[in-house]
Amino acid sequence: MSSDSPLALLRAARARIDLDRLAANYDAVRAAAGLPVMPVVKADAYGHGAFTVARALIEKGAPRLAVAYVEEGVALRQSGVRVPIVVLAGFPASQAAVLAPYDLTPIVSTPQTLAAVIAHARGGPRLRAHVKVDTGMGRLGFTTEAFVEAALRLREAGIEVEGAMTHLASADEDAGITARQLDRFDDAVARLAGRGLRPPLIHACNSAGLAFIRPTHTLVRPGLILYGVKPRPLSPEIDVRPVMQLSADVELVKEVPVGTRVSYGGRWVAQRPSRIATIPLGYEDGVPRTDRMRDEGAFRIGHARVPVAGTVCMDLTMADVTGRPDIVDGSEAILFGDDPSAWDLAAWAGTTSWEILTSVGSRVPRAYVQGGRIVHVESRYKP
């Protein structure tokens, strides 16, 4: 790495975020959905960096963004984001006071948030809100009857009921359950319309839900698929590519004799004269620390994958590169991206790609690539 690289003064590890791929994925999702897209940028844009991702998506024409929590919305506002921001999750009553000052649109999904929003709306700026009906997730949201009454109470309090929504529990696994949820949602929206209230934004579809869009819907809110990772096993037929690649440069390659134990606990033992590569990525950075990683996990270095050797450490991971003379100090080791994919890593770790993406540690610098070159680096340790 040259001394004038924006990464030169940082550890030889990075998450490359391809902004061109992000833009192409947004276009593909928008074209497939045929509806306005509200990108979900919660959890630091699934580990990709919320501020830069939000700006890139707004440049592509995203009309609004979604976050999970009020503080995420406040942070985006403080970074200069001006499009509408919808807060998907619940919030304590104390946070209702900051909704209007930061122009945040809450999802009202509990009796407590309903009361808090109404209380803070009196005598203040006009608020917008969406109301959530629980159609089978069993998490947040009102019953159908309570959903209708909550929406009407908001309207009576002078709050604009901008949207109605639900959350799909099994869109990536069970089409039948998903269809029944959407039937309940359609029924709830129809009952609300029967009381004279028709919110303009009707949305249910997350990434997997894009395969189940109903004519009644006027908005979709994808997350995972925008970052180039499709839900499994059911996935919408949309061509997307991974936006993030997590990699590091090999720190050391050493020759070890038969019987050498590697890493904590000595659980990996060389069965032959071996070559061991030490990679400056550990479990604090997003490498899963599980026995399955030792038994099944791999990095891609050069033309092929190499297996993990020994227990993953907090800061370092070892790989068995025996028989690979092309791998030397400084070779790039890819944990996930195109190959291995986030889903490959999730399978080895016994988890999901959502967790893999959001587990990339904050000390890993995010290097944003556009037009084939690094245009911006974000790091908690300033280069």
Side-chain angles (χ1 to χ4, degrees), residues 207-211 225 230-231 234-239:
S207 291
L210 295 172
I225 201 167
K230 289 187 177 184
L234 297 179
S235 293
E237 295 298 324
I238 303 174
D239 184 22

Side-chain angles (χ1 to χ4, degrees), residues 11 13 15 246 264 279-290 299 311-317 335-336 355-366 379-381:
R11 176 175 53 140
L246 180 60
Y264 292 118
I279 301 163
L281 282 176
Y283 59 77
E284 200 284 337
D285 306 305
V287 186
R289 191 183 190 275
T290 67
F299 285 79
T311 301
V312 174
C313 308
M314 182 183 290
D315 313 301
L316 301 161
T317 304
L335 181 64
F336 70 83
E355 184 176 1
I356 293 300
L357 294 179
T358 58
S359 294
V360 177
S362 60
R363 73 179 179 182
V364 177
R366 270 63 170 174
S379 172
R380 66 188 295 182
Y381 307 108

Side-chain angles (χ1 to χ4, degrees), residues 213-227:
I213 295 172
R214 294 279 178 97
T216 49
H217 299 170
T218 62
L219 183 71
V220 294
R221 52 172 202 275
L224 186 72
I225 201 167
L226 287 175
Y227 305 104

Side-chain angles (χ1 to χ4, degrees), residues 23-373:
N25 292 347
Y26 177 82
D27 285 340
V29 169
R30 182 171 57 183
L35 293 172
V37 175
M38 178 171 66
V40 179
V41 295
K42 65 180 181 178
D44 200 27
Y46 289 54
H48 292 67
F51 303 145
T52 301
V53 165
R55 288 192 291 269
L57 290 168
I58 291 167
E59 288 177 5
K60 285 300 299 178
R64 52 180 42 82
L65 302 172
V67 296
Y69 291 113
V70 169
E71 54 266 36
E72 292 177 318
V74 170
L76 285 178
R77 286 283 183 248
Q78 292 174 335
S79 77
V81 171
R82 293 291 173 259
V83 300
I85 297 175
V86 175
V87 179
L88 297 173
F91 49 90
S94 60
Q95 285 191 325
V98 305
L99 294 172
Y102 285 97
D103 191 22
L104 302 177
T105 303
I107 300 289
V108 174
S109 58
T110 68
Q112 293 77 19
T113 54
L114 174 64
V117 167
I118 290 174
H120 283 86
R122 296 193 180 104
R126 184 172 172 83
L127 281 173
R128 295 184 303 272
H130 297 209
V131 188
K132 183 174 188 176
V133 58
D134 182 5
T135 58
M137 184 70 180
R139 200 168 61 177
L140 297 175
F142 296 99
T143 63
T144 296
E145 294 76 13
F147 160 80
V148 173
E149 294 307 316
L152 294 175
R153 284 186 61 193
L154 288 169
R155 183 176 66 175
E156 290 166 4
I159 297 167
E160 178 186 352
V161 182
E162 180 186 64
M165 60 91 70
T166 194
H167 191 67
L168 302 176
S170 303
D172 56 340
E173 298 180 14
D174 194 311
I177 288 175
T178 302
R180 288 191 289 276
Q181 275 199 262
L182 290 172
D183 287 344
R184 296 186 195 110
F185 183 50
D186 282 345
D187 176 64
V189 172
R191 292 193 191 192
L192 185 59
R195 300 287 294 275
L197 182 52
R198 298 174 181 271
L201 301 180
I202 307 297
H203 52 109
C205 292
N206 50 13
S207 291
L210 295 172
F212 303 96
I213 295 172
R214 294 279 178 97
T216 49
H217 299 170
T218 62
L219 183 71
V220 294
R221 52 172 202 275
L224 186 72
I225 201 167
L226 287 175
Y227 305 104
V229 181
K230 289 187 177 184
R232 291 183 176 178
L234 297 179
S235 293
E237 295 298 324
I238 303 174
D239 184 22
V240 295
R241 301 174 70 190
V243 172
M244 182 192 296
Q245 175 182 281
L246 180 60
S247 67
D249 300 336
V250 171
E251 193 164 330
L252 175 68
V253 178
K254 64 168 63 176
E255 309 280 345
V256 301
V258 174
T260 298
R261 294 180 179 273
V262 172
S263 196
Y264 292 118
R267 294 179 178 84
W268 188 94
V269 182
Q271 302 299 308
R272 56 181 176 174
S274 303
R275 298 179 80 233
I276 301 297
T278 298
I279 301 163
L281 282 176
Y283 59 77
E284 200 284 337
D285 306 305
V287 186
R289 191 183 190 275
T290 67
D291 289 344
R292 290 178 65 176
M293 272 303 289
R294 186 181 68 244
D295 299 334
E296 304 173 39
F299 285 79
R300 171 171 284 277
I301 306 179
H303 62 83
R305 298 179 184 180
V306 294
V308 170
T311 301
V312 174
C313 308
M314 182 183 290
D315 313 301
L316 301 161
T317 304
M318 281 63 75
D320 180 3
V321 298
T322 307
R324 290 288 305 277
D326 58 303
I327 297 175
V328 297
D329 298 358
S331 295
E332 185 176 34
I334 299 170
L335 181 64
F336 70 83
D338 288 337
D339 181 24
S341 69
W343 274 115
D344 291 330
L345 186 59
W348 297 329
T351 185
T352 70
S353 59
W354 289 266
E355 184 176 1
I356 293 300
L357 294 179
T358 58
S359 294
V360 177
S362 60
R363 73 179 179 182
V364 177
R366 270 63 170 174
Y368 295 91
V369 177
Q370 200 164 32
R373 65 183 185 87

